[in-house]
Each structure stands twice: as C-alpha cells, then as structure tokens.
Amino acid sequence: MIDIDKEQAVVRQYLLRRLDEEGQRHVEERFLTDSDFREAVLVIEDELIEDYLAGLLDDDEQESFINHYMSAPRQLEEVRLSQVLREHTAPGQEEEDVQGPPEPVATGGKHKILSLLLGRGRLPVFATVVILLAVLAASWSLIGKLGGDGPKAVRNAEVAELNSANSAGESDLTVRLTSSQSRATQQAPVPKVSIAGGANVVQVVVNLPRRPYQRYEATLRENDGPEVFTVSSLHVEDAGEGRLLKLRIPARFLKPEDYILNVRGVSDAGQHEDVAECFFRVVK
Amino acid sequence: MTQGDFDRLLGWLDADRELAARKYEEIHASLVKIFSWRGYHDAEELADEVVNRVAPKVRELAVDYVGDPSLYFYGVAKKILLECERREQHQLPRPEMRVAGGPSENADEDDVGARRRKCLQRCLRKLDSEDRELILSYYKKSRQAKIDYRKALAEELGVGTNALRVRVHRIRAALKSCVKKCLNTDPAVK
C-alpha cells in the first residue's frame, strides 16, 4: 500500500494549485494510471477540506484554498457536505439524529433539578439565576462564533464563489457606498440599504483610490459585532481617476443591522493597507 | 459518438466488457476530478468531450498505440485544457465555465442546506453500524486526537493507519454519494 504521508506535501500543493505545469502533469498522470495513488489523493483531499474547516490551514494555504480549490462548484459542494458532516458529528448531535431518541434523563437527576428550580427558599432562585446566566453566556458565545447565517468559513467560501471571475454577475440590488475612512470623523448620516424580501444578491459598489495594489480583500462585520465574512482576491475596475470595487453579497447574509465594510489593498510584497471603510444600515 | 465507437472504445480498454466498463468509469471520473481541480466549472462536460474525441480514433489506436490508454485520454484532456486557456486569453466568452444557476440558486440555498442535513441523517442510517460508528467517532476528534485515535483504532482493527484513512475515506465517499443522490432524487426531503 502507498504511504499517504509521503505523498501528502506534493498532493496538497497540487490541490492548492501551487505546482508548476510539470508538477501538475506528474500528479495527474499518476492519478489516472495508479489506483493506489488515486485513492491516496482522495484521502489527502478529504483531509485538506477537514483542515480548512477546522481552521488549521495557514494564511497562504487558506487563501489558495478559497481562491483556487473552491473556485469550482463541485469542490464547493464537497466542502459544504464536509461542513454538514462536521456539524452533525459535533458532540451531542448524532445521538439524537442517527441513533434514535436520546436516553431519558435519570429520574432522580431530573427530579433533583426540578426541585432545585421549583422548591422553596433562596436556593431555587439562585439556581435559576445561575442557569439563566450560563444559557445567556453560551448563546452569546455561539452568536459571536456564528455571526448570523452559518459558520464563517462557509460564508467566506460562498462570497468568494459569488465574486469569482467565473461567476455569473447578476444582482437584484446595487448599492453605492462612500468610504468614510474614519469612523470618528464620520459626519454624514449612515446610508440605509433597503432589501426587498425576494432579493438574492446585493451588489455593493465602492470607489477606491487609484493606487497600484496587486489585489484587494474585504471584511464585512456588524457594527461592534461579529465578522460576517472576509473575501480576498477581489477584482476592481479602473474608473476615471479612481478604481471601482464591486462586491456581491448574498442578501440573506444581511440582517437589519448596522454594518462596516473594510476594504484593504494588498501590495506585491504582501503588505495590507486599509483603503476604504464604509458604514451602512440594512432595513428590510 | 456512435454505439459502435463506444463498443470499440470499451474493447480497447479491456477484452472483458465488465472490466472495460469499470476502467471507463474510472478514467471518466478521474478526468472530471482533474478538470475540476483546475478550476473548470463544467468538468463533467469537458470529460465527456475527451471521450467524444478519443472514441472515433480507437480503430487506429487499437493498432498503433502502445501504453496505458488512460495516458492517451490524458493527452487529449491536456489539449482541451490548452484550448480553454487560449479562449480565456483571447477573452472570448466561456459559457461552459459559468456557474450553473444564478440568483435563484442562492435563494434556495437555505432550503438546500436543510435538505443536505436531512439527507445526511438518512444516509448515516443506511451505513452498517460499524462504519457509522467509525465515521462518527472519527469526526468527533480534534486533529491531534484524530492522529492518536487513528493509531489506537488501527491497532485495534489490526490494520495500518494508511488503511484506516482509506477506509474512512471510502465510508465518507459513500456517504457523500448517497447525500448527492438523495438531494437530486428523493422528493421526501425536498
């Protein structure tokens, strides 16, 4: 049997599209002609997806994964299926979903909790407060992690796909935003974005200064809240004296909230520089 | 491609028709993966195009060609890749590389996500209990725990860690295939 670990480094580079043409040819020929190698590549691909979903890829790998690996819909679907499997196997899930209903709570334990909550004296009140605080803390932590509509990695992937060069460019609503660059000095009222119920894609257009960056990336976050997504390798168009960023966002990511969109330019040397900061309020 | 061309193609791959069909499926699936890894949205159609170009030449190939037929398919695939790249460089429209579906697909995504989860539950139930237990416990572990778990489990099963990783991959592949089929065909989860 083939040693998967030995093949891992090159195959990962291939999947992240970091090999030159000769390297790609070598991997592809073996993939077609050697069944053991083929299976090893598929194992490595599974594990690469797992590492991405677990946040274990370094920045460069993650960027390649989003921009290259997930640029094809088949691979995006692979990631989504793996995400579902991950969510499903989170502790406490599969017992309910797959292996039948959960075991009933031991009567004694259940009664103990109930008597603690419903009994007399200060202890029940104290217990209720502690439980409520614990539930609130857990909910707050969960909301912080998810930031709305599903895990961030999947949202990042979806926005990257929606803004890829290969993706169809239709939108239901186009919003032009002006960069304020500094939140403290922002005097103008926050622009309101009204999203109709049936809208699927909102296109945000931002004017950027004409400076030579190799690429652009953007982060959308709720005002004083969690990040909604980050997308890199955005393309911009030259427009008059400046440049124009057109960012397409699934409408369902935008809840009635205040948002901040940060746009960064990335130089050839990999330096990041803030180039725009836009505020807007979503109303539905 | 005519039925005659396809029969000749299978005959070229192997004298045993069943083995030939399996070999054909393997080559086609591998080409789909390669096109997809290279970022092409219509990997399936491009793999079909490779077969369509190879099939009419099989009469000559059966006489002249020496070596693994898979490599001939790959040669044709490379030619198609070059044609695609040339089209991109000339900025010609690439309808074959557009994402299938538009905004309406996004509108359904929440629904598809829910269906995907239902299908997964259904497909997990279809696995035999040993495989289900293996995949569920395997996915519960963190990365380091997984490495330790792999070692322990491989020892328990009397197999190497490579064999275990392949086994997990096969269960996962079967699960994914079941989920995809369920999403496409099963009205109960629509």
Side-chain angles (χ1 to χ4, degrees), chain A residues 104-138:
Chain A
V105 178
T107 321
K110 198 174 179 181
H111 282 177
K112 267 182 194 171
I113 292 170
L114 282 175
S115 65
L116 204 60
L117 292 173
L118 304 174
R120 295 181 176 189
R122 285 181 188 168
L123 197 57
V125 178
F126 176 71
T128 309
V129 169
V130 168
I131 289 169
L132 280 173
L133 283 174
V135 169
L136 273 173

Side-chain angles (χ1 to χ4, degrees), chain A residues 21 28 39 50 75 78, chain B residues 36 74 78 146 170 176:
Chain A
E21 190 55 41
E28 288 167 352
E39 196 140 46
E50 278 177 52
Q75 274 127 232
E78 293 278 319
Chain B
S36 188
Y74 182 60
K78 290 277 286 175
K146 221 177 253 177
R170 286 180 184 165
K176 282 184 181 177

Side-chain angles (χ1 to χ4, degrees), chain B residues 40-43 45-46 84 87 93-99:
Chain B
Y40 287 88
H41 289 200
D42 54 340
E45 287 80 5
L46 290 173
C84 291
R87 265 206 301 271
R94 295 160 54 202
E96 78 278 8
M97 292 188 64
R98 291 168 74 90
V99 182

Side-chain angles (χ1 to χ4, degrees), chain A residues 2 5 17 21 28 39 45-47 50-51 71 75 77-78 82 89 94 98 161 200, chain B residues 33 36-38 41 74 78 99 107 116 132 140 143 146 162 165 169-170 172 176 180:
Chain A
I2 203 162
D5 285 331
R17 264 192 268 160
E21 190 55 41
E28 288 167 352
E39 196 140 46
E45 185 184 26
D46 279 351
E47 293 175 356
E50 278 177 52
D51 283 354
S71 65
Q75 274 127 232
E77 182 59 19
E78 293 278 319
S82 299
T89 50
E94 83 286 0
V98 182
E161 166 68 12
N200 298 308
Chain B
K33 288 297 274 183
S36 188
W37 283 329
R38 288 205 177 221
H41 289 200
Y74 182 60
K78 290 277 286 175
V99 182
R116 213 181 265 126
R132 185 171 60 233
K140 264 190 195 173
R143 190 190 215 187
K146 221 177 253 177
N162 269 350
R165 285 158 87 182
H169 160 71
R170 286 180 184 165
R172 191 177 142 130
K176 282 184 181 177
K180 283 177 192 167

